[in-house]
mmCIF file of all heavy atoms in Angstrom:
data_model
loop_
_atom_site.group_PDB
_atom_site.id
_atom_site.type_symbol
_atom_site.label_atom_id
_atom_site.label_comp_id
_atom_site.label_asym_id
_atom_site.label_seq_id
_atom_site.Cartn_x
_atom_site.Cartn_y
_atom_site.Cartn_z
ATOM 1 N N VAL A 1213 196.926 191.636 125.182
ATOM 2 C CA VAL A 1213 197.304 190.501 126.027
ATOM 3 C C VAL A 1213 196.199 190.235 127.058
ATOM 4 O O VAL A 1213 195.802 189.077 127.289
ATOM 5 C CB VAL A 1213 198.651 190.742 126.759
ATOM 6 C CG1 VAL A 1213 198.982 189.568 127.684
ATOM 7 C CG2 VAL A 1213 199.785 190.963 125.757
ATOM 8 N N ALA A 1214 195.671 191.310 127.636
ATOM 9 C CA ALA A 1214 194.626 191.143 128.658
ATOM 10 C C ALA A 1214 193.370 190.502 128.055
ATOM 11 O O ALA A 1214 192.759 189.611 128.653
ATOM 12 C CB ALA A 1214 194.288 192.491 129.290
ATOM 13 N N ILE A 1215 193.018 190.932 126.852
ATOM 14 C CA ILE A 1215 191.844 190.347 126.182
ATOM 15 C C ILE A 1215 192.146 188.884 125.824
ATOM 16 O O ILE A 1215 191.335 187.989 126.053
ATOM 17 C CB ILE A 1215 191.469 191.160 124.925
ATOM 18 C CG1 ILE A 1215 190.976 192.556 125.334
ATOM 19 C CG2 ILE A 1215 190.394 190.435 124.103
ATOM 20 C CD1 ILE A 1215 190.806 193.537 124.169
ATOM 21 N N GLY A 1216 193.341 188.665 125.290
ATOM 22 C CA GLY A 1216 193.745 187.304 124.924
ATOM 23 C C GLY A 1216 193.735 186.367 126.113
ATOM 24 O O GLY A 1216 193.265 185.229 126.027
ATOM 25 N N ARG A 1217 194.209 186.850 127.249
ATOM 26 C CA ARG A 1217 194.222 186.010 128.456
ATOM 27 C C ARG A 1217 192.800 185.601 128.839
ATOM 28 O O ARG A 1217 192.546 184.437 129.167
ATOM 29 C CB ARG A 1217 194.892 186.756 129.610
ATOM 30 C CG ARG A 1217 195.001 185.904 130.861
ATOM 31 C CD ARG A 1217 195.657 186.644 131.992
ATOM 32 N NE ARG A 1217 194.969 187.901 132.262
ATOM 33 C CZ ARG A 1217 195.380 188.815 133.124
ATOM 34 N NH1 ARG A 1217 196.497 188.623 133.808
ATOM 35 N NH2 ARG A 1217 194.688 189.912 133.316
ATOM 36 N N ALA A 1218 191.868 186.556 128.770
ATOM 37 C CA ALA A 1218 190.475 186.224 129.101
ATOM 38 C C ALA A 1218 189.913 185.211 128.098
ATOM 39 O O ALA A 1218 189.139 184.325 128.453
ATOM 40 C CB ALA A 1218 189.617 187.487 129.118
ATOM 41 N N LEU A 1219 190.331 185.330 126.828
ATOM 42 C CA LEU A 1219 189.818 184.423 125.792
ATOM 43 C C LEU A 1219 190.356 183.007 125.927
ATOM 44 O O LEU A 1219 189.764 182.063 125.415
ATOM 45 C CB LEU A 1219 190.175 184.961 124.401
ATOM 46 C CG LEU A 1219 189.460 186.247 123.983
ATOM 47 C CD1 LEU A 1219 190.033 186.746 122.659
ATOM 48 C CD2 LEU A 1219 187.948 186.033 123.865
ATOM 49 N N MET A 1220 191.507 182.858 126.594
ATOM 50 C CA MET A 1220 192.111 181.532 126.742
ATOM 51 C C MET A 1220 191.178 180.549 127.443
ATOM 52 O O MET A 1220 191.268 179.346 127.246
ATOM 53 C CB MET A 1220 193.444 181.618 127.492
ATOM 54 C CG MET A 1220 194.591 182.167 126.671
ATOM 55 S SD MET A 1220 195.060 181.146 125.267
ATOM 56 C CE MET A 1220 195.995 179.822 126.065
ATOM 57 N N ALA A 1221 190.281 181.053 128.283
ATOM 58 C CA ALA A 1221 189.333 180.161 128.968
ATOM 59 C C ALA A 1221 188.086 179.922 128.104
ATOM 60 O O ALA A 1221 187.144 179.282 128.543
ATOM 61 C CB ALA A 1221 188.952 180.744 130.326
ATOM 62 N N GLU A 1222 188.097 180.441 126.873
ATOM 63 C CA GLU A 1222 186.959 180.325 125.951
ATOM 64 C C GLU A 1222 185.636 180.678 126.616
ATOM 65 O O GLU A 1222 184.737 179.844 126.738
ATOM 66 C CB GLU A 1222 186.925 178.936 125.296
ATOM 67 C CG GLU A 1222 188.200 178.691 124.498
ATOM 68 C CD GLU A 1222 188.006 177.881 123.221
ATOM 69 O OE1 GLU A 1222 187.154 176.986 123.217
ATOM 70 O OE2 GLU A 1222 188.728 178.171 122.244
ATOM 71 N N PRO A 1223 185.519 181.948 127.044
ATOM 72 C CA PRO A 1223 184.289 182.372 127.712
ATOM 73 C C PRO A 1223 183.108 182.444 126.748
ATOM 74 O O PRO A 1223 183.292 182.495 125.532
ATOM 75 C CB PRO A 1223 184.639 183.781 128.207
ATOM 76 C CG PRO A 1223 185.667 184.274 127.247
ATOM 77 C CD PRO A 1223 186.473 183.051 126.872
ATOM 78 N N GLN A 1224 181.912 182.455 127.339
ATOM 79 C CA GLN A 1224 180.704 182.701 126.539
ATOM 80 C C GLN A 1224 180.464 184.192 126.430
ATOM 81 O O GLN A 1224 179.854 184.663 125.491
ATOM 82 C CB GLN A 1224 179.491 182.085 127.225
ATOM 83 C CG GLN A 1224 179.492 180.588 127.251
ATOM 84 C CD GLN A 1224 178.173 180.121 127.801
ATOM 85 O OE1 GLN A 1224 177.987 180.017 129.005
ATOM 86 N NE2 GLN A 1224 177.228 179.870 126.916
ATOM 87 N N ILE A 1225 180.894 184.900 127.478
ATOM 88 C CA ILE A 1225 180.723 186.346 127.468
ATOM 89 C C ILE A 1225 182.001 187.012 127.951
ATOM 90 O O ILE A 1225 182.656 186.538 128.886
ATOM 91 C CB ILE A 1225 179.509 186.791 128.317
ATOM 92 C CG1 ILE A 1225 179.345 188.316 128.275
ATOM 93 C CG2 ILE A 1225 179.579 186.295 129.753
ATOM 94 C CD1 ILE A 1225 178.016 188.811 128.799
ATOM 95 N N LEU A 1226 182.355 188.091 127.282
ATOM 96 C CA LEU A 1226 183.532 188.869 127.644
ATOM 97 C C LEU A 1226 183.051 190.207 128.194
ATOM 98 O O LEU A 1226 182.269 190.901 127.549
ATOM 99 C CB LEU A 1226 184.366 189.080 126.377
ATOM 100 C CG LEU A 1226 185.797 189.558 126.515
ATOM 101 C CD1 LEU A 1226 186.625 188.575 127.340
ATOM 102 C CD2 LEU A 1226 186.428 189.723 125.127
#
Side-chain angles (χ1 to χ4, degrees):
V1213 177
I1215 293 170
R1217 183 180 55 186
L1219 292 173
M1220 285 296 283
E1222 300 215 325
Q1224 292 187 274
I1225 181 166
L1226 195 60

